[in-house]
Amino acid sequence: MAPPLSSWPWASLGQYKYVVFGPLVWKVVQEWREQGGPPLGSWWLHLLVLFAVRGLTYQFWFTYGNMLFFTRRRRVVANGVDFRQIDHEWDWDNFLLLQTLLGATVVNSPLLPGLRQLSLWDPRGWAVALLLHVGFSEPVFYLAHQAIHRAPHLFARYHAAHHSSDVTQPLTAGFGTPLETLLVTLAMGAPIAGAFLMGYGSLGLVYGHAFVFDYLRAMGYSNVEVVSPRVFDAFPALRYILYTPSYLSLHHREKRGNFCLFMPLLDVLGGTLDVRSWSLQRAAYDGAPGGGALGTPEFVFLAHVVDIMSSMHVPFVLRSMSSIPFANHFILLPFWPLAFAFMLVMWCCSKTFVVSFYYLRGHLHQTWSVPRYGFQYFLPAAKKGINQQIELAILRADRMGVKVLSLAALNKNEALNGGGTLFVNKHPDLRVRVVHGNTLTAGVILNDIPSNVKEVFLTGATSKLGRAIALYLCRKKLRVLMFTMSSERFLKIQREAPPEFQQYLVQVTKYQAAQNCKTWIVGKWLSPREQRWAPAGTHFHQFVVPPIIGFRRDCTYGKLAAMRLPKDVHGLGSCEYTMDRGVVHACHAGGVVHFLEGWDHHEVGAIDVDRIDVVWRAALKHGLTPV
């Protein structure tokens, strides 16, 4: 049996836990009907609004802290947040639910009579709240927090889970047990209650105090320094009044000191101040050694935005969304206009930016994004600008000392830049190796074909990947039905095959030609009408983006070529588009293999068929596994 106040009563409800707000919503509806309009004086309404505003405060700090293009040089801890921590903190907002319900209990009781005659503003209430915070909340929290740490049985039951998170984030602030939440609620609520008991309470005090309290907590857990050490140098007393993310991070990691709520003065008086707090804060803010600034990546995956909906799948928007494979969720629809506005801003004045990172065997890998969306790659007028963005990213990576840069999706489109050859030819002295990764993509697709298959139907047959797949399979004496209307391009590919294998490459111009073939390799979008020519039991292998929709229930559909990263990857906490956790597109994996092998050549332009097996074996050797 779990100790009292160590688990949440609504844990079994999962995502339906918000039904506990049903009575509050019903009260608001009743008052709305009675008053014939929004009940602006209703405490029930204000409690619900407070819940939303407070949640957005933590979300704001989470978003800011994970915008690596702003904050990567001012991080306190360099490590990333992994899926384990995200899952542990999934219900981080439980504390907001509990505090809202406690607020409703107080509102419904006669404990604070001042709640009924509510003013919008009373400066005397702010003065009382400030005095009570300094004189009551800070000491009580400090003593209780220290006591929990000093008592092993209490720490293990009520506080150890909170400290199990390796890297603090604003959402970590809410991750804990009901007992911890009650302690924080006492520290937060006592100043407000005192002001109301003295008759100085106001609506502005409730909102303002809650906002400042949450703002400071979220800032402390943000893992990003925001206050310049020069400010503390100019006003030395401020060090004892306001804590910093470095200050809290030391406590969270080492658990030996820095027990205060917001004011380090309590740690000074109690003899529990970690003397490294100020030097760490300076190092983190300045991006100096000793801080957690992200260094130079050795591998970069250069991606682009797919569409407006998927643009909200980035790690700095909603962690609960980015940590699972992308799908269109109704919850994202209200944010579509905002995402559309950001697309216009990015189109006008943005440049390539850092999206995410992880560590593999001590090496920093980053994903950068070109600020362009999928549809823009098909606009003739946008071609030059996109290539300029990619070129600038490559040159930036070269200056930084990046070893391998892998081009994703449309960034290596043949019609756009010849699969990367444009940049390599223009800058022959590049130190960074430019890689399209399609050699491994071909290897993943080819190794997914059962060994007993004798014939395949190939669409997109004259594309870069289609060509490589056809040439590889014909060498294995598999008959390849190459769907293409261009005899010229077909013959060009056929002549590349050794003479004894050319007979295995067959041009077809109608889907009916594949009505007896159960292995389709799809590199071009297929409509439902085209899919119906496949016989029952057909498996569709795919390298078309976006993947085709599975209309046939009597057939099976493979996913886009992908590989699972090695098990020793660290700090990975977001999914790559529709890929599962820990899985990346094969072109991403191809760049990783290129880096791990230390190969010194560029992988651009046409795929070298002779290297497909070489790259595939290297991927398996380094611990990457097929999905």
Side-chain angles (χ1 to χ4, degrees):
M1 182 177 177
L5 298 178
S6 65
S7 60
W8 296 96
W10 49 75
S12 60
L13 296 177
Q15 62 181 339
Y16 300 107
K17 63 186 179 182
Y18 302 102
V19 299
V20 299
F21 282 163
L24 275 73
V25 174
W26 177 245
K27 286 279 190 180
V28 172
V29 171
Q30 278 187 318
E31 293 182 353
W32 196 309
R33 292 174 61 185
E34 291 171 0
Q35 298 179 21
L40 300 181
S42 168
W43 269 114
W44 313 111
L45 177 61
H46 287 305
L47 286 171
L48 294 174
V49 172
L50 270 170
F51 174 81
V53 171
R54 297 180 65 197
L56 287 173
T57 302
Y58 287 92
Q59 177 61 44
F60 163 80
W61 271 105
F62 169 81
T63 295
Y64 172 74
N66 286 277
M67 285 180 165
L68 299 175
F69 44 92
F70 286 146
T71 63
R72 66 184 182 277
R73 292 189 179 92
R74 291 182 178 172
R75 292 171 61 86
V76 180
V77 178
N79 296 335
V81 175
D82 58 20
F83 293 115
R84 181 198 62 82
Q85 178 174 338
I86 291 172
D87 289 341
H88 281 184
E89 297 176 356
W90 195 267
D91 292 308
W92 67 272
D93 60 346
N94 277 339
F95 83 105
L96 290 176
L97 270 74
L98 179 58
Q99 290 178 346
T100 302
L101 295 177
L102 290 173
T105 303
V106 172
V107 166
N108 204 37
S109 71
L111 296 177
L112 298 177
L115 290 173
R116 302 305 173 194
Q117 297 81 33
L118 192 63
S119 63
L120 290 177
W121 184 263
D122 190 333
R124 296 172 298 179
W126 281 91
V128 171
L130 179 60
L131 289 174
L132 285 173
H133 177 84
V134 175
F136 178 81
S137 296
E138 288 283 350
V140 167
F141 181 90
Y142 172 81
L143 294 172
H145 191 190
Q146 187 181 31
I148 291 175
H149 274 265
R150 296 287 188 261
H153 63 288
L154 289 178
F155 181 85
R157 293 177 178 179
Y158 296 106
H159 202 43
H162 177 76
H163 279 275
S164 67
S165 297
D166 297 328
V167 183
T168 59
Q169 289 202 318
L171 309 188
T172 309
F175 172 53
T177 60
L179 180 66
E180 293 169 290
T181 298
L182 290 175
L183 173 60
V184 173
T185 304
L186 176 63
M188 176 183 173
I192 299 176
F196 273 95
L197 286 171
M198 296 183 68
Y200 301 145
S202 66
L203 189 62
L205 173 63
V206 174
Y207 276 91
H209 183 78
F211 174 76
V212 172
F213 193 94
D214 289 326
Y215 190 91
L216 291 177
R217 284 198 83 209
M219 181 200 74
Y221 279 89
S222 68
N223 194 40
V224 175
E225 282 298 346
V226 292
V227 181
S228 170
R230 265 62 75 183
V231 174
F232 291 111
D233 292 340
F235 304 97
L238 188 61
R239 286 195 178 100
Y240 306 104
I241 298 174
L242 180 67
Y243 77 157
T244 66
S246 299
Y247 192 94
L248 184 136
S249 181
L250 278 174
H251 163 76
H252 193 84
R253 283 179 286 156
E254 302 189 7
K255 314 176 189 67
R256 293 198 301 264
N258 293 3
F259 296 109
C260 74
L261 180 57
F262 302 134
M263 298 177 62
L265 177 63
L266 276 297
D267 283 300
V268 174
L269 297 177
T272 55
L273 175 71
D274 192 319
V275 295
R276 298 168 296 169
S277 300
W278 315 127
S279 60
L280 176 60
Q281 194 271 340
R282 183 178 297 275
Y285 187 88
D286 293 338
L294 295 181
T296 299
E298 297 183 78
F299 168 78
V300 168
F301 183 57
L302 186 61
H304 64 80
V305 189
V306 177
D307 54 34
I308 292 176
M309 289 298 286
S310 66
S311 70
M312 293 180 275
H313 189 251
V314 289
F316 54 81
V317 177
L318 292 173
R319 191 171 75 172
S320 58
M321 294 294 179
S322 65
S323 62
I324 59 177
F326 171 74
N328 287 309
H329 295 280
F330 288 114
I331 193 174
L332 296 177
L333 289 177
F335 302 101
W336 193 94
L338 184 62
F340 181 80
F342 270 103
M343 181 199 71
L344 297 178
V345 171
M346 289 170 61
W347 199 348
C348 295
C349 56
S350 183
K351 61 182 180 180
T352 299
F353 56 93
V354 183
V355 176
S356 61
F357 71 96
Y358 61 86
Y359 289 92
L360 180 60
R361 294 163 195 170
H363 303 289
L364 177 61
H365 294 205
Q366 289 183 350
T367 294
W368 297 358
S369 179
V370 174
R372 294 295 182 268
Y373 291 63
F375 76 91
Q376 294 169 325
Y377 284 75
F378 301 98
L379 302 177
K383 178 179 177 179
K384 181 179 178 181
I386 292 173
N387 274 332
Q388 286 177 343
Q389 290 277 357
I390 298 171
E391 181 179 7
L392 289 174
I394 292 173
L395 294 177
R396 174 188 169 197
D398 193 58
R399 289 193 304 270
M400 292 173 63
V402 176
K403 294 180 179 178
V404 174
L405 183 143
S406 183
L407 299 173
L410 295 173
N411 285 335
K412 59 192 174 197
N413 184 275
E414 286 293 317
L416 183 69
N417 52 47
T421 55
L422 173 68
F423 313 114
V424 173
N425 292 338
K426 186 175 180 180
H427 303 282
D429 297 326
L430 285 173
R431 292 171 299 171
V432 61
R433 302 295 93 179
V434 180
V435 175
H436 56 48
N438 281 342
T439 307
L440 184 57
T441 302
V444 171
I445 296 169
L446 291 165
N447 281 276
D448 193 40
I449 299 173
S451 59
N452 60 346
V453 170
K454 300 300 180 184
E455 182 182 68
V456 301
F457 176 63
L458 177 64
T459 69
T462 59
S463 65
K464 178 166 57 182
L465 268 168
R467 165 195 164 274
I469 291 170
L471 290 174
Y472 184 95
L473 290 176
C474 77
R475 295 181 183 183
K476 302 293 184 181
K477 298 184 179 181
L478 269 71
R479 189 166 181 260
V480 183
L481 306 178
M482 297 177 64
F483 179 84
T484 175
M485 298 297 179
S486 174
S487 297
E488 180 183 354
R489 283 185 290 181
F490 166 75
L491 290 173
K492 182 180 178 182
I493 294 173
Q494 188 182 46
R495 292 190 191 104
E496 288 188 67
E500 65 270 26
F501 299 121
Q502 290 181 5
Q503 60 180 311
Y504 294 100
L505 299 179
V506 180
Q507 181 186 7
V508 296
T509 57
K510 295 182 178 180
Y511 288 97
Q512 293 93 312
Q515 57 187 332
N516 295 316
C517 180
K518 292 189 175 183
T519 301
W520 286 38
I521 305 176
V522 182
K524 180 182 177 182
W525 177 261
L526 293 180
S527 67
R529 183 177 181 180
E530 292 162 344
Q531 290 183 39
R532 71 182 177 86
W533 289 107
T538 294
H539 181 75
F540 292 90
H541 304 266
Q542 303 192 57
F543 63 93
V544 58
V545 179
I548 62 174
I549 300 174
F551 293 104
R552 294 280 301 275
R553 293 187 177 182
D554 57 349
C555 298
T556 55
Y557 295 80
K559 294 185 178 181
L560 293 177
M563 295 200 80
R564 188 174 299 279
L565 289 171
K567 294 181 180 180
D568 52 344
V569 65
H570 295 289
L572 182 63
S574 60
C575 292
E576 190 169 280
Y577 194 37
T578 57
M579 299 290 110
D580 291 330
R581 289 180 168 186
V583 176
V584 296
H585 292 89
C587 57
H588 183 155
V592 172
V593 173
H594 203 100
F595 166 72
L596 293 175
E597 281 290 310
W599 287 327
D600 199 40
H601 64 278
H602 295 289
E603 184 193 332
V604 294
I607 296 173
D608 185 351
V609 180
D610 293 328
R611 289 194 57 82
I612 292 177
D613 287 334
V614 174
V615 176
W616 174 255
R617 288 193 295 266
L620 299 180
K621 179 184 74 175
H622 286 289
L624 287 91
T625 54
V627 180

